[in-house]
Amino acid sequence: MKYILITGGVISGVGKGVISSSFGAILKSCGIEVTSIKIDPYINLDAGTFSPYEHGEVYVLDDGGEVDLDLGNYERFLNITLHKQNNITTGKIYQTVIDRERHGDYLGKTVQVVPHITDAVQEWVERVAQKPVSESGKTPEVCIIELGGIVGDIESMAFVEAFRQFQFRVKRENFCVAHVSLVPQPKTTGEHKTKPTQQSVRELRGLGLSPDIIVCRSERPIGDSVKEKISNFCHVAPQQIISIPDLYSVYEVPVFMENHGMAEYLSKRLQLDITPLPPLRKYMRSWIELGERMKHLKYEVTVGIVGKYTRLEDSYTSITKALNHAGNEIGCKVNIKFIEASNLEATMLVDDPVAYHSAWHNLCVCDCVVVPGGFGKRGVEGKIEACKWCRVNGKPFLGICLGFQTAVIEFARNVLKMEGANSTEVNEDTKYPVVIDMPEHNTGEMGGTMRLGKRTTVFKPSAIRSKINRLYGSVDKIDERHRHRYEVNPEYIQEFEKHGMQFVGVDVDQQRMEILELDNHPYYVAVQFHPEYLSRPMNPSPPFMGLILAARDKLKSYLHKGCKLSPREPQSDYYDSDEELHDLTAKKLNVGSNEHDDSSSAYSSSSVS
Ligand code: GLN
C-alpha cells in the first residue's frame, strides 16, 4: 500500500481538498485503484452536529456517516463510495483509545498521546486504506490522506507526529508528502511572495516531515524564478514544485496537474510502475471534455435556492454542484441566486422592507427554485411561501428534505384548507400535524440519531408514468441518501392525493413518503432524501436534470424522447487525435507559461466537482 499525505500551509481554504482529489483522479486515470481518508482534527465525533455556517454542509455517506464536505469531493472525483471510517476526527481517535483503556487493554500503563493516540491513528489509517473499493471490489493500491487545517495548528500536532512515525513504519517508497501552500501576490508590489511558504515548509520539517511535492496555490501562475527561490529555500528540486493558479473550473485541476508530470513523478517516487505512460489516459480524456464543455455552454438558467444558511454558500455545496452537473449535461450555465428564506416572510415587510422586496424580486426572476434541507423553525414560513409561489405560478420546483416537508405543509394549508397545518418540529401543538417525528429516530440524543444513509425508495405502480419516475429511467426502485428526523404523517396521504399531490415514491414498508409530484404542474417535485449527494459530474442526478430541463421548457420533449438529450457533438470530434486534444488543453491551461491567465474565476468559487 502506498500513501500520499497532503498537508496545508499558510492558510486553509485554498483548495487542498480539490488538489487531494485530483491526485487521486490522476492515479485512477493510470489504472490505479485509489482510496482516501480525510482527517479533521476537531474533537467532535463527526460532522453531524456542526453548524453549516461554520463548516459548510454536512455530507452524508451511504452508510449514514455524517462527514466533512471534502469527502464529497473524493466521491465525485474518484467515483467511489466512501465509508464513515474514511473520515477521522480527533474525537473518534480519542474515543477508541478511551474505550480500549476501559476495556483494560493498557492495564498498568499511563495512556498518553505518544504512543497511544499516535499508534491509534496509524492503525486506523492502515486498516481503512486496505478496505476494498465498493465499486470494483479490489483492494486499493494508493491511499490519499488529507490532513485538515494547516501544519502548526495545535489540533493537528498528534496527527503530524503519527505520520512522522508512519513514514518509517511503511518505508520511504510507500509514503510521500505533498504540501499545499499559498503563494500570495500582494497588489502593492505585484510580486509573488514565497516567504509564507518557506516558513510553513520549515515548520513541517521541524515536525519531522519533508515535503516531496510543494503545490503552490496562487491567483496567477508563478514564474520559474519564484519556483527556483522556493526550491532553494525549501530544499526540493524545481520539478517537485507545481504551481496551480486559479482555473476556470475544478474539472481542470487534475488535467493541469497531470500536464505538469505528476503521474510520472508519483510513479517514480512511489515505485508505482506506471509504464508505459500513454500521452493521454482515457479517464483523463473525460475530464478534459468536461472542462471544455463547461466553457461552451450555450444557454443560461437562473436557479433560486431558498435556504436559511445562505450566508455561507458552502452550506449548499452539494446542491450547487448537482445543479451544475445537470446544467453541464444539458448545455446550460447555471446561475445561482441564494435567497434567505426568512426574508420572504410577511413580518419582514415591516421589519426590513428592503430585504423583503429584494428577496421576492430574486424569487420572481428565477427560472426555477430549489427549497433545500434544514433544521429548526427559522425560515420555515419563508420556505412555505416559496413553495406556494412555485405551485401557484407553475414555476419548476424541487424540494429537498425540509423542502419536501414545507411543500406538504403549504399544500395542506392552502389547498386542503387545514389552517395552521405544520410540522411538529416547528409547532408541537399544531391542529394538523402533517409532518411528524419518527419516534425511533428521535431519541433525544443529537449525534447520529437521524434516519441516515442510503435507503430504498419504491415507486408506486400508479407512479410509473410520473415525470420523476421517467427521469429515473422508469425503474421500480432507487437508492438515495437520507438525513432526517421527521416524516409526512401517513394519516393525511389519501386527502393529499385526492387533491392532486401524489406520493409517487415510498419506502420499502410503504409507510414513509419519499417523493411527491403535483398533477398539472410543469415540474413540482419534492423528495425526502438528498439526491445531491449521489450526483456526479459525469452522471447527474435525475431530479436536478428534471428541474433544469423544466426551467428551459425542455422537459416534455426530453421525456418524450425517452430521456435522451438532442445529440451533442462529441468534443473528440473537434480534434483529429488524442494528441491534438492534449496539446490544445495544455495550451489553454497555459502549461509551461508564466503569462497571466485571464480566465479569471478562482476554481474554489466556480467549483463544480
Ligand atoms: N428537519 C427536518 C427533519 O429532520 C428536515 C431535515 C433535512 O432537511 N435534512 O426531518
Side-chain angles (χ1 to χ4, degrees):
M1 175 64 65
K2 314 281 179 181
Y3 300 89
I4 304 174
L5 174 68
I6 319 280
T7 57
V10 186
I11 56 167
S12 57
V14 292
K16 185 151 46 85
V18 170
I19 290 164
S20 307
S21 317
S22 301
F23 273 112
I26 293 170
L27 292 172
K28 217 179 151 172
S29 78
C30 300
I32 292 194
E33 209 64 60
V34 182
T35 188
S36 75
I37 295 176
K38 168 81 200 289
I39 299 178
D40 288 309
Y42 43 67
I43 295 170
N44 304 55
L45 280 179
D46 58 35
T49 53
F50 276 165
S51 155
Y53 279 135
E54 217 179 305
H55 290 268
E57 92 178 355
V58 175
Y59 189 77
V60 180
L61 300 171
D62 268 8
D63 66 3
E66 298 173 280
V67 296
D68 184 89
L69 53 83
D70 274 326
L71 278 272
N73 275 332
Y74 290 112
E75 286 204 333
R76 285 184 283 259
F77 265 83
L78 306 179
N79 206 13
I80 54 174
T81 304
L82 295 173
H83 308 274
K84 277 182 195 154
Q85 285 106 333
N86 293 80
N87 194 195
I88 302 181
T89 67
T90 299
K92 283 185 188 172
I93 297 289
Y94 271 74
Q95 191 177 52
T96 311
V97 171
I98 291 169
D99 285 350
R100 283 184 193 161
E101 188 270 338
R102 293 288 84 180
H103 187 248
D105 291 6
Y106 311 114
L107 272 189
K109 294 203 184 94
T110 309
V111 183
Q112 292 177 300
V113 173
V114 182
H116 301 102
I117 295 292
T118 47
D119 278 354
V121 172
Q122 296 176 65
E123 282 159 24
W124 190 302
V125 167
E126 275 195 310
R127 180 169 39 85
V128 173
Q130 310 284 344
K131 215 175 147 93
V133 175
S134 319
E135 280 65 22
S136 65
K138 290 190 199 150
T139 305
E141 290 166 72
V142 176
C143 178
I144 316 256
I145 308 157
E146 180 190 346
L147 180 56
I150 59 166
V151 169
D153 288 344
I154 290 180
E155 281 85 356
S156 60
M157 285 299 182
F159 291 103
V160 175
E161 170 58 17
F163 288 109
R164 188 196 64 74
Q165 297 171 16
F166 194 67
Q167 64 189 332
F168 302 111
R169 178 169 169 152
V170 299
K171 300 204 175 61
R172 184 180 150 73
E173 65 274 20
N174 297 323
F175 181 84
C176 75
V177 179
H179 187 64
V180 181
S181 180
L182 177 77
V183 179
Q185 191 180 19
K187 286 219 165 58
T188 38
T189 59
E191 282 170 16
H192 281 113
K193 294 291 181 195
T194 64
K195 197 68 95 214
T197 299
Q198 292 177 37
Q199 271 163 356
S200 79
V201 170
R202 197 174 306 137
E203 178 129 35
L204 184 64
R205 278 235 165 73
L207 297 169
L209 286 171
S210 277
D212 297 282
I213 300 166
I214 299 180
V215 182
C216 300
R217 280 288 292 116
S218 53
E219 203 181 322
R220 298 176 184 281
I222 64 169
D224 286 344
S225 58
V226 179
K227 270 194 191 173
E228 249 162 54
K229 203 162 167 189
I230 296 175
S231 162
N232 283 336
F233 284 96
C234 297
H235 195 64
V236 291
Q239 61 271 28
Q240 288 166 261
I241 300 169
I242 169 167
S243 144
I244 306 193
D246 292 353
L247 299 173
Y248 187 77
S249 86
V250 290
Y251 293 140
E252 295 186 341
V253 180
V255 183
F256 188 91
M257 288 170 62
E258 155 70 12
N259 279 328
H260 278 82
M262 273 302 116
E264 284 91 334
Y265 179 79
L266 291 175
S267 175
K268 269 196 213 125
R269 172 66 182 78
L270 293 175
Q271 299 177 7
L272 287 168
D273 208 18
I274 312 170
T275 44
L277 278 166
L280 182 68
R281 255 75 70 206
K282 202 166 166 238
Y283 185 79
M284 227 16 119
R285 188 191 177 99
S286 48
W287 287 105
I288 295 172
E289 288 185 357
L290 210 53
E292 281 301 298
R293 199 185 310 151
M294 264 202 75
K295 291 181 187 157
H296 299 107
L297 300 174
K298 274 200 206 147
Y299 312 99
E300 289 198 27
V301 155
T302 303
V303 185
I305 298 183
V306 182
K308 58 183 279 189
Y309 314 114
T310 51
R311 260 191 296 137
L312 182 68
E313 294 184 9
D314 262 1
S315 308
Y316 298 109
T317 189
S318 289
I319 292 185
T320 311
K321 284 168 200 275
L323 288 166
N324 278 305
H325 298 160
N328 240 358
E329 183 75 13
I330 297 161
C332 256
K333 181 171 184 302
V334 174
N335 303 314
I336 293 180
K337 276 189 193 295
F338 287 98
I339 301 165
E340 184 61 38
S342 49
N343 288 348
L344 296 169
E345 294 171 8
T347 50
M348 286 301 277
L349 189 53
V350 180
D351 297 347
D352 189 345
V354 175
Y356 176 84
H357 287 294
S358 126
W360 272 101
H361 171 82
N362 283 337
L363 185 68
C364 293
V365 297
C366 287
D367 301 309
C368 60
V369 172
V370 174
V371 177
F375 294 84
K377 297 184 182 154
R378 195 177 61 79
V380 168
E381 289 300 322
K383 288 187 173 193
I384 293 172
E385 288 294 337
C387 295
K388 180 177 177 192
W389 193 83
C390 292
R391 179 178 60 79
V392 172
N393 293 292
K395 202 51 54 179
F397 165 87
L398 177 60
I400 297 173
C401 208
L402 182 59
F404 170 82
Q405 299 171 356
T406 52
V408 168
I409 299 169
E410 188 278 317
F411 198 83
R413 285 186 191 175
N414 299 314
V415 179
L416 308 183
K417 304 293 175 213
M418 297 175 179
E419 203 183 316
N422 219 327
S423 161
T424 52
E425 182 178 12
V426 179
N427 176 8
E428 272 183 66
D429 306 319
T430 171
K431 193 169 161 205
Y432 300 106
V434 289
V435 177
I436 49 173
D437 65 354
M438 299 176 281
E440 73 274 33
H441 293 288
N442 205 352
T443 58
E445 289 267 304
M446 279 320 220
T449 55
M450 283 185 262
R451 183 170 178 246
L452 286 165
K454 192 158 96 171
R455 314 265 171 161
T456 301
T457 293
V458 182
F459 283 101
K460 286 190 194 159
S462 58
I464 291 309
R465 295 307 296 156
S466 66
K467 295 186 189 93
I468 189 68
N469 177 257
R470 283 191 280 163
L471 282 162
Y472 270 107
S474 304
V475 292
D476 301 340
K477 52 185 184 190
I478 52 165
D479 285 332
E480 291 278 9
R481 295 179 181 174
H482 293 68
R483 183 173 187 246
H484 66 122
R485 206 171 262 126
Y486 294 81
E487 63 171 330
V488 176
N489 189 342
E491 277 180 28
Y492 292 98
I493 300 307
Q494 269 192 348
E495 196 62 11
F496 279 108
E497 297 207 321
K498 239 188 343 198
H499 289 82
M501 178 170 271
Q502 307 301 338
F503 290 89
V504 296
V506 290
D507 77 333
V508 283
D509 299 324
Q510 321 237 334
Q511 282 306 306
R512 298 217 146 111
M513 301 305 119
E514 293 279 6
I515 308 176
L516 69 80
E517 190 175 303
L518 271 194
D519 292 341
N520 305 322
H521 191 287
Y523 189 75
Y524 194 98
V525 167
V527 290
Q528 183 61 78
F529 48 78
H530 291 265
E532 67 274 23
Y533 295 136
L534 288 182
S535 181
R536 299 284 177 264
M538 330 243 179
N539 192 11
S541 163
F544 289 91
M545 283 291 284
L547 183 74
I548 305 289
L549 284 162
R552 288 218 54 240
D553 204 11
K554 296 281 179 223
L555 181 59
K556 251 195 193 150
S557 64
Y558 177 78
L559 294 177
H560 187 70
K561 286 185 207 149
C563 293
K564 285 201 184 71
L565 292 165
S566 321
R568 71 171 161 247
E569 283 174 90
Q571 294 280 326
S572 48
D573 286 359
Y574 301 145
Y575 318 105
D576 287 341
S577 63
D578 278 0
E579 283 68 29
E580 198 185 324
L581 175 59
H582 190 257
D583 288 351
L584 179 103
T585 312
K587 215 158 56 198
K588 282 221 166 105
L589 294 177
N590 227 354
V591 172
S593 151
N594 299 329
E595 278 169 30
H596 291 170
D597 171 9
D598 278 325
S599 58
S600 68
S601 60
Y603 69 74
S604 44
S605 62
S606 67
S607 140
V608 282
S609 74

